[in-house]
Amino acid sequence: KSQMAAKSRGHFPIDEGLAALSKDSTLTRHHVGAWLKSQMAHGAVGSRISPRSTVIERALFLLCNGDSEGATSALLQSKHPVLATLTAGAGQYTLANRDMYKQLESWYQLTIVDEHFDSSLLWLYRLLAGDVFNLHADLAWAASSDADTATPSLSWQQSLALYLWYQNT
């Protein structure tokens, strides 16, 4: 009965796993993001990366699971220092994110993306630029078409996490 009263006032009981992250039971973006990251780290959410994936696809997969260190490491080992540097700062809202977003928009306006860029590289740039909304649209379109590239299939938890971790506001 007390839960019903709480719901009617707009308050919902907090899941025990989330409540443990917050001392005062007030959920913040950080708390929910940390809980989602812990779920992904334990394999409770998400799919596995294919051994045939490119390093760019692997980095995108790792970022979608909250592992920016793993993505940065994979890119460094594969001789992609610029992408590794950008990935190391993933989720931090800087001028670089805004510049990346502007650059992506100009590439799309010039319609050069299809002939010069691999889809997974564009998806990685979208994520790093904090353009999660358009990343979701791109992934949904690719999943519905017969694209040659390995399209990540995102769970609802990963989708929410991308907005919490990377969306540039």
Side-chain angles (χ1 to χ4, degrees), residues 36-69:
L36 288 166
K37 192 174 193 175
S38 73
Q39 295 299 299
M40 291 175 206
H42 293 96
V45 174
S47 56
R48 302 284 178 237
I49 189 77
S50 167
R52 297 184 317 255
S53 297
T54 67
V55 67
I56 303 297
E57 291 165 345
R58 203 166 38 254
L60 181 63
F61 172 83
L62 290 167
L63 286 172
C64 288
N65 285 287
D67 186 2
S68 60
E69 288 180 25

Side-chain angles (χ1 to χ4, degrees), residues 6-150:
K7 286 182 183 178
S8 69
R9 292 189 309 268
H11 301 285
F12 295 90
I14 298 170
D15 178 80
E16 287 180 23
L18 290 173
L21 295 171
S22 174
K23 292 180 179 129
D24 62 354
S25 298
T26 302
L27 291 181
T28 64
R29 182 181 191 147
H30 170 75
H31 293 121
V32 176
W35 177 77
L36 288 166
K37 192 174 193 175
S38 73
Q39 295 299 299
M40 291 175 206
H42 293 96
V45 174
S47 56
R48 302 284 178 237
I49 189 77
S50 167
R52 297 184 317 255
S53 297
T54 67
V55 67
I56 303 297
E57 291 165 345
R58 203 166 38 254
L60 181 63
F61 172 83
L62 290 167
L63 286 172
C64 288
N65 285 287
D67 186 2
S68 60
E69 288 180 25
T72 301
S73 199
L75 289 165
L76 274 175
Q77 291 172 3
S78 298
K79 311 285 190 252
H80 288 87
V82 174
L83 276 175
T85 302
L86 294 171
T87 302
Q92 299 174 17
Y93 308 116
T94 64
L95 290 176
N97 299 93
R98 190 172 26 184
D99 291 344
M100 240 187 304
Y101 181 84
K102 288 178 183 177
Q103 184 63 59
L104 275 168
E105 291 306 308
S106 67
W107 287 340
Y108 276 99
Q109 288 174 359
L110 295 171
T111 63
I112 63 169
V113 293
D114 293 331
E115 58 191 67
H116 295 291
F117 293 96
D118 181 61
S119 300
S120 57
L121 181 60
L122 285 169
W123 297 335
L124 181 59
Y125 275 125
R126 279 219 185 273
L127 185 60
L128 294 174
D131 189 11
V132 175
F133 179 77
N134 284 317
L135 172 66
H136 274 276
D138 289 351
L139 293 176
W141 176 84
S144 68
S145 69
D146 292 329
D148 293 337
T149 174

